[in-house]
Amino acid sequence: MSRRGFIGVDIGGSVMAAGVVTPEGEVVAQGQDPTHKRGPGTAVATLLDLVQRMHLAARAFGVTVEGIGIGVPGTVDAERGVIGRDVHYVPDLAGAPLVATIAAQIGLPVYVDNDVNVLALGEWTFGAGQGARFLVVLAIGTGVGGGIIQDVTTFAASIYMRGIPWTYLPTTLLSMVDSCIGGKSSINAAGYKNLVGNFFPPSNVLVDVSFIATLDAEMIVGGLYEAAKICYASGYPGFLAYLAEQPSCPMTPEQAQRVILQSLRTKKWFIEVDEFDQKERLLLNFGHTFGHAMEAGTDFGISHGIGVGLGMLVANEYAKRQGNLTSDGLARVEHLGSHVRALLGAGASCVQASLPAIDLGLVMDKFDHDKKHRPGFYRIIVPGGDGSLELISVPKSDKVRRDFISAFEAALGQIPWPFSASERAALAS
Ligand SMILES: NC(=O)c1ccc[n+]([C@@H]2O[C@H](COP(=O)([O-])OP(=O)(O)OC[C@H]3O[C@@H](n4cnc5c(N)ncnc54)[C@H](O)[C@@H]3O)[C@@H](O)[C@H]2O)c1
């Protein structure tokens, strides 16, 4: 039998958070988005997207949404949107007929409250006393979102009352094919990727491919890169089995389901043989040390998934320059590389249309500080002789550093970027 629920949204200046909550105070789903995800003046569109995702999440959990409550910072007039001194906070809500706009799009009753936060919204929606629970569980009971929500929820669930069971509903392809199993949390700190983290898997993972319809091409391609990486890491036959499922962008839900299953079955093997990342599972870091450096070195202007794809190209270039690949190994590495480049697309149809300029000095600084290295040694995953992946330790030296730089240059030089080299240089300056 379907349960009743409401969607609660709290709009903040930088982030808006939303949850699906039942009258009993159980928060069955939560998620968040940057308030101006698509640039200035896009808060209403972002709000509608977020509400749509919560709606899908509610459906997946068997909850019928009866209404939407929105808490807005500043002075809100239900008819005229945000008015008064806080208008600058969410400027595109100024004067917007908030209730009417949302109600027309969603087809449900919408309630907007003045100057509330999530706590007050919870109390207002379901009566005093439920608010505190709403706030706590909103943060850590259920994760609905991509890898970032998962990382944060994993960590929060692991430390709240020394660990509580939690449920994860991945909403990006990357989190469906990869991060939803394995239980890792990784949180960036001090400008570097994934410095803080632990293992605390969710009790339940629910994958609903209908979320893929709301993802843009960059996020679909990024997800496929992680799936390709997992399958290639299991050996070349694993990569061929993945390709047989016809990964492409866009994909039908059926295609997506097959690719997700292939990827998760393959990852399951790695987790079962090496849950805590001591040996075999380390191979899943293929592309990551190089990719993280490009993510962090562009101030996260390159998304994680795209960074992994580019990182695999850099690892391949490094291996090719070391001259250890057999002719079979070279062919396998090239096969993976051509798949990565084909998914990325070329010129105007490149999925990373707003790629930032890449300053290799900054990228190398991030690469040097990767937590996977050891004092005096770089530790990276690269294809060896027949193309199979291996973990290697390379003593640090100026020559080795130059080898890495030329591998970055060679890999990035193969990409049909949407900008010319001179335009990229101008963007960098
Ligand atoms: N813990 C792990 O095992 C693990 C594994 C791989 C990656 N990661 C981490 O995950 C992060 C990348 O995750 P990701 O690619 O899933 O994206 P993400 O979590 O970074 O989300 C990207 C954006 O997409 C939005 N979004 C989420 N679902 C959406 C949907 N259905 N439609 C539209 N927008 C949606 C989010 O709100 C966000 O703005 C990286 O930080 C990476 O380090 C963790």
Side-chain angles (χ1 to χ4, degrees):
M1 203 184 83
S2 179
R3 293 180 293 160
R4 296 169 54 218
F6 279 77
I7 294 176
V9 187
D10 179 48
I11 302 180
S14 55
V15 168
M16 56 176 80
V20 178
V21 61
T22 68
E24 293 74 41
E26 182 193 357
V27 176
V28 294
Q30 64 99 7
Q32 67 175 49
D33 259 333
T35 298
H36 296 290
K37 185 172 162 184
R38 303 180 184 137
T42 58
V44 172
T46 306
L47 175 69
L48 287 170
D49 274 3
L50 188 59
V51 167
Q52 189 199 356
R53 280 191 353 248
M54 288 302 109
H55 230 151
L56 284 169
R59 202 185 61 189
F61 285 104
V63 170
T64 303
V65 176
E66 295 186 346
I68 300 170
I70 304 172
V72 191
T75 314
V76 179
D77 181 289
E79 300 301 320
R80 289 181 293 145
V82 179
I83 52 173
R85 66 185 162 80
D86 281 331
V87 165
H88 68 281
Y89 204 47
V90 196
D92 64 327
L93 293 183
L98 198 57
V99 171
T101 306
I102 312 263
Q105 300 268 350
I106 309 286
L108 285 172
V110 174
Y111 314 93
V112 179
D113 206 352
N114 282 11
D115 203 13
V116 292
N117 56 27
V118 178
L119 180 64
L121 182 66
E123 283 169 350
W124 163 76
T125 309
F126 292 117
Q130 297 296 345
R133 179 148 179 225
F134 179 62
L135 183 66
V136 170
V137 189
L138 180 67
I140 56 182
T142 306
V144 177
I148 289 183
I149 289 281
Q150 181 195 338
D151 279 329
V152 173
T153 315
T154 301
F155 190 64
S158 73
I159 56 172
Y160 183 65
M161 300 198 318
R162 299 202 181 90
I164 57 164
W166 66 286
T167 298
Y168 182 44
L169 185 66
T171 61
T172 62
L173 184 59
L174 184 147
S175 52
M176 293 179 199
V177 299
D178 181 7
S179 61
C180 68
I181 64 169
K184 267 194 215 175
S185 72
S186 307
I187 293 166
N188 303 343
Y192 295 100
K193 272 290 287 187
N194 297 353
L195 274 189
V196 176
N198 56 6
F199 292 87
F200 197 74
S203 322
N204 294 302
V205 177
L206 302 169
V207 176
D208 182 344
V209 290
S210 42
F211 283 104
I212 295 174
T214 61
L215 297 174
D216 60 21
E218 180 192 331
M219 296 197 69
I220 292 179
V221 168
L224 290 176
Y225 283 164
E226 289 278 22
K229 172 214 73 180
I230 292 169
C231 296
Y232 189 91
S234 73
Y236 188 59
F239 179 59
L240 295 181
Y242 151 83
L243 289 180
E245 304 302 356
Q246 300 176 317
S248 66
C249 179
M251 277 188 296
T252 63
E254 293 72 29
Q255 257 175 306
Q257 195 162 333
R258 288 197 305 271
V259 171
I260 292 165
L261 275 174
Q262 183 68 31
S263 180
L264 290 182
R265 282 196 189 111
T266 311
K267 183 167 178 184
K268 181 169 174 274
W269 178 85
F270 283 98
I271 298 164
E272 283 173 354
V273 296
D274 178 22
E275 184 177 359
F276 297 112
D277 247 355
Q278 298 302 306
K279 194 172 170 221
E280 291 86 352
R281 193 171 169 184
L282 290 173
L283 297 183
L284 298 183
N285 287 329
F286 181 36
H288 277 59
T289 308
F290 300 109
H292 285 167
M294 286 184 277
E295 272 179 78
T298 55
D299 200 15
F300 300 96
I302 290 181
S303 63
H304 178 73
I306 299 294
V308 168
L310 300 180
M312 291 192 286
L313 296 181
V314 180
N316 290 354
E317 284 308 313
Y318 180 79
K320 278 158 65 179
R321 283 169 165 61
Q322 297 309 299
N324 299 331
L325 294 171
T326 63
S327 58
D328 273 355
L330 188 60
R332 290 168 180 171
V333 159
E334 297 291 10
H335 196 181
L336 173 64
S338 62
H339 176 63
V340 168
R341 286 189 295 274
L343 284 176
L344 197 64
S349 65
C350 180
V351 298
Q352 180 90 44
S354 58
L355 191 94
I358 297 179
D359 175 340
L360 275 187
L362 272 179
V363 170
M364 280 306 292
D365 172 61
K366 301 295 179 183
F367 179 76
D368 284 335
H369 287 86
D370 193 287
K371 72 176 189 309
K372 293 185 281 303
H373 302 316
R374 293 288 174 270
F377 289 90
Y378 291 107
R379 289 212 318 165
I380 47 168
I381 310 292
V382 286
D386 67 353
S388 307
L389 299 184
E390 50 192 41
L391 170 68
I392 58 168
S393 292
V394 192
K396 290 185 177 173
S397 71
D398 288 347
K399 147 114 188 32
V400 167
R401 206 165 182 278
R402 278 197 303 277
D403 288 347
F404 285 130
I405 292 174
S406 60
F408 271 111
E409 283 170 346
L412 294 174
Q414 298 164 1
I415 307 293
W417 297 117
F419 302 110
S420 68
S422 56
E423 283 167 328
R424 289 209 307 280
L427 279 172
S429 61

